[in-house]
Amino acid sequence: MAILESLRRLDRRVHRIADVVTPAQRAAILARLEMLPATALAPVDSPLGAIRQWGCMIGPTPLAPTGPDPRRYDEENNALWSGLGALAAPLQAAVLDALQSLTPSAVQIAPGRQIASARRMPEGDGAPRHIDRYPKTSAYAELREACVLDEQLVWYLMLRGSPDGGALRVYPGAHAPDEVPAEDARFDRYDAPEGTLLIHPAAQVWHAVEPPQGGERITLGGICAPLRDGSGWWTCA
Protein backbone atom coordinates (compact mmCIF):
# COMPACT_ATOMS: atom_id res chain seq x y z
CA MET A 1 0.00 0.00 0.00
CA ALA A 2 1.22 3.51 -0.80
CA ILE A 3 -1.22 5.53 1.26
CA LEU A 4 1.42 7.94 2.58
CA GLU A 5 2.36 8.74 -1.00
CA SER A 6 -1.28 9.28 -2.00
CA LEU A 7 -1.78 11.64 0.95
CA ARG A 8 1.34 13.54 -0.08
CA ARG A 9 -0.04 13.92 -3.63
CA LEU A 10 -3.44 14.97 -2.18
CA ASP A 11 -5.13 12.03 -3.89
CA ARG A 12 -6.76 11.56 -0.51
CA ARG A 13 -7.14 13.90 2.45
CA VAL A 14 -7.33 11.58 5.48
CA HIS A 15 -6.59 7.99 6.38
CA ARG A 16 -7.46 6.20 9.61
CA ILE A 17 -6.17 2.98 11.20
CA ALA A 18 -8.30 1.50 13.97
CA ASP A 19 -7.11 -0.33 17.09
CA VAL A 20 -3.47 0.73 16.97
CA VAL A 21 -3.41 0.34 20.77
CA THR A 22 -5.70 -1.69 23.00
CA PRO A 23 -8.04 -0.22 25.63
CA ALA A 24 -5.71 -1.55 28.34
CA GLN A 25 -2.70 0.15 26.74
CA ARG A 26 -4.60 3.41 26.43
CA ALA A 27 -5.67 3.32 30.06
CA ALA A 28 -2.11 2.68 31.22
CA ILE A 29 -0.68 5.46 29.02
CA LEU A 30 -3.29 7.96 30.20
CA ALA A 31 -2.64 7.06 33.84
CA ARG A 32 1.09 7.59 33.35
CA LEU A 33 0.58 10.92 31.57
CA GLU A 34 -1.37 12.19 34.57
CA MET A 35 1.77 11.65 36.64
CA LEU A 36 3.98 13.69 34.31
CA PRO A 37 4.26 17.51 34.10
CA ALA A 38 2.57 19.24 31.16
CA THR A 39 3.35 22.68 29.74
CA ALA A 40 1.38 25.41 27.97
CA LEU A 41 1.20 25.45 24.20
CA ALA A 42 0.29 29.14 23.97
CA PRO A 43 -0.25 32.26 26.10
CA VAL A 44 -3.28 32.08 28.38
CA ASP A 45 -5.16 34.76 26.41
CA SER A 46 -4.69 33.08 23.01
CA PRO A 47 -7.19 30.73 21.28
CA LEU A 48 -4.90 27.82 22.18
CA GLY A 49 -4.19 29.01 25.72
CA ALA A 50 -5.96 26.16 27.52
CA ILE A 51 -4.15 23.37 25.62
CA ARG A 52 -1.37 21.55 27.46
CA GLN A 53 1.36 19.36 26.06
CA TRP A 54 3.57 16.56 27.32
CA GLY A 55 6.85 16.79 25.48
CA CYS A 56 7.27 19.50 22.86
CA MET A 57 5.71 19.61 19.40
CA ILE A 58 7.92 20.37 16.42
CA GLY A 59 5.57 22.86 14.77
CA PRO A 60 5.51 26.61 15.39
CA THR A 61 3.24 27.68 18.24
CA PRO A 62 2.20 31.07 19.66
CA LEU A 63 4.91 30.65 22.31
CA ALA A 64 7.52 29.60 19.74
CA PRO A 65 6.57 31.18 16.37
CA THR A 66 9.96 30.42 14.79
CA GLY A 67 9.98 26.86 16.07
CA PRO A 68 10.90 25.22 19.38
CA ASP A 69 14.16 25.88 21.15
CA PRO A 70 16.24 22.77 20.29
CA ARG A 71 17.35 22.21 23.88
CA ARG A 72 13.83 22.47 25.27
CA TYR A 73 12.49 20.29 22.46
CA ASP A 74 14.97 17.52 23.26
CA GLU A 75 14.68 17.78 27.03
CA GLU A 76 10.88 17.74 27.15
CA ASN A 77 10.40 14.95 24.61
CA ASN A 78 13.09 12.82 26.25
CA ALA A 79 11.38 13.41 29.61
CA LEU A 80 8.03 12.28 28.18
CA TRP A 81 9.33 9.03 26.75
CA SER A 82 11.49 8.33 29.78
CA GLY A 83 8.47 9.01 31.98
CA LEU A 84 6.36 6.49 30.06
CA GLY A 85 8.75 3.80 31.30
CA ALA A 86 7.90 0.27 30.20
CA LEU A 87 4.95 1.60 28.17
CA ALA A 88 7.22 3.51 25.79
CA ALA A 89 8.69 0.72 23.65
CA PRO A 90 5.37 -1.06 22.86
CA LEU A 91 3.70 2.27 22.10
CA GLN A 92 6.50 3.35 19.79
CA ALA A 93 6.44 -0.01 18.03
CA ALA A 94 2.66 0.13 17.56
CA VAL A 95 2.84 3.57 15.95
CA LEU A 96 5.76 2.64 13.69
CA ASP A 97 3.98 -0.56 12.60
CA ALA A 98 0.85 1.44 11.76
CA LEU A 99 2.77 4.01 9.70
CA GLN A 100 4.84 1.33 7.98
CA SER A 101 1.64 -0.44 6.89
CA LEU A 102 0.83 2.63 4.78
CA THR A 103 3.90 2.61 2.52
CA PRO A 104 6.33 0.20 0.83
CA SER A 105 9.17 2.60 1.75
CA ALA A 106 10.95 2.55 5.10
CA VAL A 107 9.52 4.61 7.96
CA GLN A 108 11.92 5.45 10.77
CA ILE A 109 12.13 7.86 13.66
CA ALA A 110 14.15 10.94 12.69
CA PRO A 111 17.68 10.52 14.08
CA GLY A 112 18.17 11.99 17.53
CA ARG A 113 14.44 12.68 18.03
CA GLN A 114 11.48 11.09 19.75
CA ILE A 115 8.52 9.74 17.81
CA ALA A 116 5.79 11.96 19.28
CA SER A 117 4.53 14.38 21.90
CA ALA A 118 1.08 14.42 23.53
CA ARG A 119 -1.59 17.09 23.90
CA ARG A 120 -4.60 17.68 26.11
CA MET A 121 -7.42 19.76 24.64
CA PRO A 122 -9.97 20.59 27.37
CA GLU A 123 -13.70 20.69 26.88
CA GLY A 124 -14.76 23.71 24.83
CA ASP A 125 -11.31 24.51 23.41
CA GLY A 126 -10.54 23.45 19.85
CA ALA A 127 -7.96 24.59 17.30
CA PRO A 128 -8.91 27.24 14.73
CA ARG A 129 -8.43 26.87 10.97
CA HIS A 130 -4.75 26.57 10.16
CA ILE A 131 -2.23 25.00 7.83
CA ASP A 132 1.08 23.62 9.10
CA ARG A 133 3.86 25.72 7.61
CA TYR A 134 7.40 25.73 8.98
CA PRO A 135 9.50 28.91 8.82
CA LYS A 136 12.98 28.73 7.33
CA THR A 137 14.71 29.06 10.69
CA SER A 138 17.49 27.14 12.40
CA ALA A 139 14.92 25.09 14.33
CA TYR A 140 14.09 23.23 11.11
CA ALA A 141 17.44 23.29 9.28
CA GLU A 142 18.22 19.61 9.83
CA LEU A 143 14.75 18.44 8.87
CA ARG A 144 14.63 20.68 5.80
CA GLU A 145 17.97 19.36 4.59
CA ALA A 146 16.79 15.75 4.77
CA CYS A 147 13.03 16.03 4.16
CA VAL A 148 10.47 17.75 1.96
CA LEU A 149 9.06 19.50 5.00
CA ASP A 150 6.42 21.44 3.07
CA GLU A 151 4.82 18.12 2.11
CA GLN A 152 4.93 16.51 5.54
CA LEU A 153 1.92 14.70 6.96
CA VAL A 154 0.61 14.93 10.50
CA TRP A 155 -0.63 11.92 12.44
CA TYR A 156 -2.30 11.59 15.80
CA LEU A 157 -3.40 8.67 17.93
CA MET A 158 -6.59 9.23 19.89
CA LEU A 159 -5.92 8.28 23.49
CA ARG A 160 -9.05 9.87 24.97
CA GLY A 161 -11.92 11.15 22.88
CA SER A 162 -14.68 13.44 24.05
CA PRO A 163 -18.31 12.22 23.89
CA ASP A 164 -19.01 14.90 21.26
CA GLY A 165 -16.94 17.34 19.22
CA GLY A 166 -13.16 17.05 18.92
CA ALA A 167 -13.35 15.96 15.27
CA LEU A 168 -10.90 17.02 12.58
CA ARG A 169 -12.30 19.43 9.99
CA VAL A 170 -10.58 19.39 6.61
CA TYR A 171 -11.26 22.12 4.04
CA PRO A 172 -11.00 20.47 0.62
CA GLY A 173 -11.08 23.64 -1.48
CA ALA A 174 -7.98 25.01 -3.23
CA HIS A 175 -6.88 27.51 -0.59
CA ALA A 176 -3.42 29.05 -0.71
CA PRO A 177 -1.30 28.82 2.49
CA ASP A 178 -2.04 32.48 3.26
CA GLU A 179 -5.75 32.27 2.31
CA VAL A 180 -7.79 31.33 5.37
CA PRO A 181 -11.01 29.53 4.35
CA ALA A 182 -14.15 31.57 4.99
CA GLU A 183 -16.29 30.83 8.02
CA ASP A 184 -18.91 29.23 5.78
CA ALA A 185 -16.44 27.30 3.61
CA ARG A 186 -17.31 23.67 3.00
CA PHE A 187 -15.44 21.16 5.14
CA ASP A 188 -15.31 17.41 5.65
CA ARG A 189 -15.50 16.08 9.20
CA TYR A 190 -13.46 13.12 10.45
CA ASP A 191 -13.85 11.46 13.83
CA ALA A 192 -11.14 9.25 15.28
CA PRO A 193 -12.44 6.72 17.82
CA GLU A 194 -10.20 5.96 20.78
CA GLY A 195 -7.26 3.79 19.75
CA THR A 196 -7.40 5.06 16.15
CA LEU A 197 -4.48 6.70 14.34
CA LEU A 198 -5.47 9.42 11.87
CA ILE A 199 -3.04 10.91 9.34
CA HIS A 200 -3.55 13.81 6.94
CA PRO A 201 -1.54 16.28 4.76
CA ALA A 202 -1.55 19.12 7.29
CA ALA A 203 1.13 21.13 5.47
CA GLN A 204 -0.93 21.37 2.29
CA VAL A 205 -4.57 21.43 3.40
CA TRP A 206 -6.34 23.82 5.76
CA HIS A 207 -7.83 22.08 8.80
CA ALA A 208 -9.21 22.70 12.30
CA VAL A 209 -10.18 20.76 15.40
CA GLU A 210 -13.69 21.13 16.76
CA PRO A 211 -13.93 21.96 20.47
CA PRO A 212 -14.42 18.78 22.51
CA GLN A 213 -17.80 18.59 24.21
CA GLY A 214 -18.65 16.52 27.27
CA GLY A 215 -15.02 15.87 28.12
CA GLU A 216 -11.42 16.44 27.10
CA ARG A 217 -9.46 15.17 24.11
CA ILE A 218 -5.97 13.68 24.56
CA THR A 219 -3.83 12.69 21.59
CA LEU A 220 -0.33 11.49 20.87
CA GLY A 221 1.00 12.91 17.62
CA GLY A 222 3.84 13.81 15.33
CA ILE A 223 4.82 14.48 11.75
CA CYS A 224 5.77 12.07 8.97
CA ALA A 225 7.89 13.68 6.27
CA PRO A 226 9.20 12.24 2.96
CA LEU A 227 12.97 12.11 2.57
CA ARG A 228 14.41 14.14 -0.29
CA ASP A 229 16.34 11.17 -1.66
CA GLY A 230 13.13 9.17 -2.04
CA SER A 231 14.30 6.40 0.28
CA GLY A 232 11.50 6.64 2.80
CA TRP A 233 9.94 8.72 5.56
CA TRP A 234 11.01 10.24 8.87
CA THR A 235 8.58 10.62 11.74
CA CYS A 236 9.08 12.61 14.94
CA ALA A 237 7.37 14.69 17.61
Side-chain angles (χ1 to χ4, degrees):
M1 299 177 73
I3 291 172
L4 295 187
E5 289 75 13
S6 68
L7 288 163
R8 179 187 180 188
R9 294 191 305 267
L10 303 184
D11 292 341
R12 63 176 74 200
R13 294 294 199 264
V14 168
H15 187 77
R16 289 170 286 198
I17 305 176
D19 302 322
V20 171
V21 291
T22 67
Q25 284 178 299
R26 284 194 302 101
I29 293 164
L30 288 167
R32 187 61 62 88
L33 287 176
E34 294 294 349
M35 301 168 61
L36 302 177
T39 60
L41 191 71
V44 174
D45 59 352
S46 85
L48 304 177
I51 299 174
R52 295 293 180 268
Q53 63 178 346
W54 292 275
C56 184
M57 66 183 293
I58 188 65
T61 69
L63 286 177
T66 61
D69 174 80
R71 181 174 178 178
R72 179 192 169 204
Y73 174 85
D74 290 338
E75 287 179 350
E76 295 190 5
N77 285 320
N78 289 341
L80 167 61
W81 287 89
S82 174
L84 287 172
L87 302 171
L91 175 57
Q92 177 178 291
V95 170
L96 279 177
D97 286 349
L99 294 174
Q100 187 62 72
S101 73
L102 303 180
T103 177
S105 303
V107 178
Q108 59 183 321
I109 300 172
R113 298 174 184 263
Q114 298 289 357
I115 192 170
S117 59
R119 274 169 290 290
R120 166 184 273 145
M121 189 172 284
E123 182 177 7
D125 288 281
R129 291 158 294 167
H130 63 287
I131 192 167
D132 292 12
R133 287 295 186 178
Y134 296 80
K136 294 180 179 178
T137 60
S138 59
Y140 303 107
E142 180 184 352
L143 284 175
R144 280 196 180 280
E145 182 177 353
C147 303
V148 186
L149 200 55
D150 291 338
E151 296 179 9
Q152 54 89 12
L153 313 174
V154 162
W155 62 266
Y156 62 82
L157 175 64
M158 187 65 72
L159 295 176
R160 176 178 290 154
S162 58
D164 196 12
L168 177 72
R169 289 185 176 185
V170 173
Y171 296 84
H175 303 286
D178 58 351
E179 181 190 346
V180 182
E183 287 284 353
D184 60 352
R186 186 176 73 83
F187 61 84
D188 297 319
R189 187 177 186 274
Y190 298 92
D191 285 309
E194 293 176 339
T196 296
L197 185 145
L198 184 152
I199 186 165
H200 65 111
Q204 300 186 72
V205 178
W206 283 85
H207 56 284
V209 178
E210 296 179 354
Q213 302 296 336
E216 64 185 4
R217 177 186 191 266
I218 297 179
T219 56
L220 182 86
I223 68 169
C224 191
L227 290 166
R228 291 189 179 277
D229 64 8
S231 62
W233 298 75
W234 277 2
T235 186
C236 65

